[in-house]
Amino acid sequence: MINLFLKVLTIHFFLIPIGIFFVTKQENKFITYSTQLIYGIVLISFMALFLNFFTPLNQNVNSLTIMTLLLIIYKKWKLFFNKEFILFSLISTFIICFLIIESNVNRPDAGLYHLPYINIINEEKIIFGLSNLHFRYAHASIMQHTSAILNNLLLGINGIILPTALLASAILINFTSRILNLLKYKKYNLELFFLLFIQIYIFYKMNRYSEYGNDAPAHLLFFYLISITLKDKLFDTKEILNLLIISLFVVLNKIILLFSVFIVLIHFTKKHFLNVFKNKRFYFLVLFFLIWVIKNIAISGCLIFPITKLCSESLLWSNKNISKSVSIENEAWAKAWPDYVNDKNTTKEDKLTMKNYSKNFNWITTWYSKHFKFISSIVFPYVLIILLFFMF
């Protein structure tokens, strides 16, 4: 326990300082440090993805990469080695250790492709056509690269479980600090209510670290992104680009949240357009996106897997049949296909094919009978809390 606590505490001293490349404004210290930790995770993820084109992310490479961050700590030590920074790191470490200790179950997805894919990144450079070995490797989240680079001599193999916990801790502290700050100055605005409701949702629905997978990091960052756009202010070019970087990171975790980019673009003005090319963040954003796309093509032959129209037939390792099959399967599973297959009231002869099941609303009855009730049981208590909040 003490060993875990010290290791988690130490990694804060590496990740938070590199977030200063994106966040320099010193407001409330806890808000600043939590924001820098979020961007530190983004930057280390980019470094991991970039390095994997040239080398496996083994413990020696990862340790050398982490150690180079000491240069930033050395130059900016006055900003970070103070009481507020130490207190923030201690609180964050307690949250992370609590999440990990209370998590004693690995979800099936972890053993199915998360952990194997992380192991591949640790042992190999990017492998062309890897999705032909298992199609799920083409679904991999950017967080798998983050996990891979935290497998270093400092943290050991257990470092792979830390990235999502670090992100969750940063979001929780950020939201709590902002709520207290808004209440202090009596700013009862939309930002405050959103933060309150989302905190309730996180504590109510996202309290099991073993169930986080790839969805939770994307959702947490999506909530963070919305909360920032609700601020009662005009965003300058740097802030807009920062938000676009976060939205890109959200998409690289969960492609279905692509619309998060448009949430930021709503705030994009002509003034931003004129200044965006003068800012280094724009080129980081473009480079990050291009490297991710190149990685996708190298692994699956698709710009975005399993969208068949975005897959190339000219590449030797590309397999459109796999992408078509996975696309049909993904849609059917989202529409309660397993419940339909296991329905004893329908004979095997009468059952539809997976493709036909997804068409013409054939799936509605099955989905409503189980999934709707399940979702309602989750949403109802949360809605009740919101109604009580408004009443009192």
Side-chain angles (χ1 to χ4, degrees):
M1 174 62 186
I2 296 176
N3 186 37
L4 171 66
F5 185 88
L6 292 175
K7 286 182 176 181
V8 174
L9 179 63
T10 303
I11 199 62
H12 284 80
F13 288 81
F14 291 90
L15 292 182
I16 296 176
I18 64 173
I20 203 169
F21 285 113
F22 299 98
V23 183
T24 55
K25 186 175 15 176
Q26 294 290 317
E27 42 182 332
N28 177 293
K29 292 287 186 180
F30 273 32
I31 296 175
T32 300
Y33 293 142
S34 59
T35 307
Q36 288 174 339
L37 179 54
I38 292 169
Y39 282 97
I41 293 169
V42 172
L43 185 54
I44 200 72
S45 304
F46 168 78
M47 294 170 66
L49 177 62
F50 179 76
L51 286 171
N52 196 220
F53 276 89
F54 308 100
T55 178
L57 298 184
N58 56 52
Q59 287 195 340
N60 292 329
V61 171
N62 295 341
S63 302
L64 182 61
T65 303
I66 293 294
M67 292 303 291
T68 57
L69 303 179
L70 287 174
L71 295 173
I72 301 170
I73 300 172
Y74 173 74
K75 291 182 179 181
K76 304 289 184 180
W77 69 272
K78 289 184 179 179
L79 292 175
F80 298 101
F81 286 86
N82 53 60
K83 291 181 181 179
E84 290 89 352
F85 180 76
I86 300 297
L87 181 59
F88 172 86
S89 300
L90 286 170
I91 293 173
S92 179
T93 301
F94 273 115
I95 293 172
I96 292 167
C97 288
F98 178 78
L99 284 172
I100 293 173
I101 290 170
E102 289 297 312
S103 173
N104 55 11
V105 178
N106 258 328
R107 299 292 290 171
D109 283 356
L112 189 61
Y113 73 101
H114 295 175
L115 297 177
Y117 186 67
I118 292 169
N119 186 62
I120 290 171
I121 298 172
N122 283 147
E123 294 183 353
E124 304 288 343
K125 295 186 290 185
I126 286 177
I127 301 174
F128 285 78
L130 182 62
S131 64
N132 291 301
L133 181 62
H134 198 307
F135 74 87
R136 291 187 183 272
Y137 293 147
H139 282 304
S141 157
I142 186 66
M143 291 298 284
Q144 266 79 74
H145 285 81
T146 322
S147 293
I149 201 168
L150 290 188
N151 175 14
N152 51 55
L153 296 175
L154 170 65
L155 300 173
I157 187 66
N158 290 329
I160 66 176
I161 67 174
L162 292 182
T164 304
L166 283 160
L167 185 59
S169 172
I171 296 290
L172 286 171
I173 295 175
N174 184 276
F175 283 8
T176 303
S177 300
R178 286 166 58 192
I179 289 171
L180 294 174
N181 201 45
L182 289 166
L183 290 173
K184 179 181 177 181
Y185 294 104
K186 297 182 179 180
K187 293 183 178 180
Y188 306 113
N189 52 21
L190 187 57
E191 179 191 356
L192 173 62
F193 291 121
F194 178 81
L195 289 171
L196 283 171
F197 296 149
I198 290 299
Q199 280 285 60
I200 293 170
Y201 176 80
I202 291 173
F203 286 121
Y204 167 63
K205 188 67 178 69
M206 303 176 72
N207 52 20
R208 293 184 181 181
Y209 189 59
S210 57
E211 296 181 352
Y212 271 27
N214 286 338
D215 291 350
H219 293 153
L220 287 169
L221 279 172
F222 181 63
F223 296 150
Y224 171 78
L225 183 69
I226 295 175
S227 73
I228 297 298
T229 59
L230 291 177
K231 283 191 172 185
D232 186 18
K233 60 177 291 187
L234 296 175
F235 297 101
D236 60 28
T237 304
K238 290 181 180 179
E239 291 169 327
I240 285 291
L241 287 171
N242 277 354
L243 292 178
L244 282 173
I245 289 169
I246 292 295
S247 65
L248 174 63
F249 199 76
V250 169
V251 173
L252 300 192
N253 277 285
K254 197 75 174 174
I255 190 67
I256 198 171
L257 294 176
L258 181 62
F259 60 91
S260 62
V261 177
F262 300 102
I263 293 174
V264 181
L265 292 178
I266 291 172
H267 299 271
F268 204 85
T269 65
K270 184 179 179 180
K271 182 181 178 181
H272 293 137
F273 181 78
L274 295 173
N275 294 327
V276 71
F277 300 104
K278 301 175 184 177
N279 197 292
K280 293 179 181 178
R281 289 171 173 80
F282 172 75
Y283 299 101
F284 172 83
L285 179 70
V286 173
L287 184 60
F288 197 175
F289 176 71
L290 288 177
I291 289 176
W292 180 258
V293 168
I294 294 169
K295 189 274 298 183
N296 286 345
I297 295 172
I299 287 178
S300 65
C302 304
L303 292 174
I304 300 175
F305 184 89
I307 302 176
T308 309
K309 292 180 179 180
L310 297 180
C311 298
S312 171
E313 293 182 337
S314 60
L315 299 174
L316 293 176
W317 59 89
S318 181
N319 191 328
K320 276 198 169 186
N321 291 329
I322 291 179
S323 65
K324 287 179 182 178
S325 174
V326 172
S327 180
I328 293 170
E329 183 178 344
N330 286 351
E331 183 179 359
W333 273 68
K335 295 174 178 177
W337 169 256
D339 294 326
Y340 174 74
V341 172
N342 296 322
D343 187 358
K344 295 179 180 179
N345 295 323
T346 309
T347 63
K348 289 184 178 180
E349 293 76 15
D350 294 332
K351 288 190 185 297
L352 299 169
T353 64
M354 189 179 286
K355 187 175 182 179
N356 289 331
Y357 170 76
S358 299
K359 292 181 178 180
N360 302 323
F361 300 103
N362 293 323
W363 52 275
I364 286 290
T365 304
T366 304
W367 183 87
Y368 182 83
S369 64
K370 289 190 177 181
H371 284 240
F372 178 78
K373 294 179 181 179
F374 175 71
I375 292 171
S376 298
S377 67
I378 295 172
V379 173
F380 177 74
Y382 184 64
V383 172
L384 182 61
I385 291 172
I386 293 175
L387 291 174
L388 290 172
F389 183 87
F390 275 110
M391 287 174 64
F392 293 100

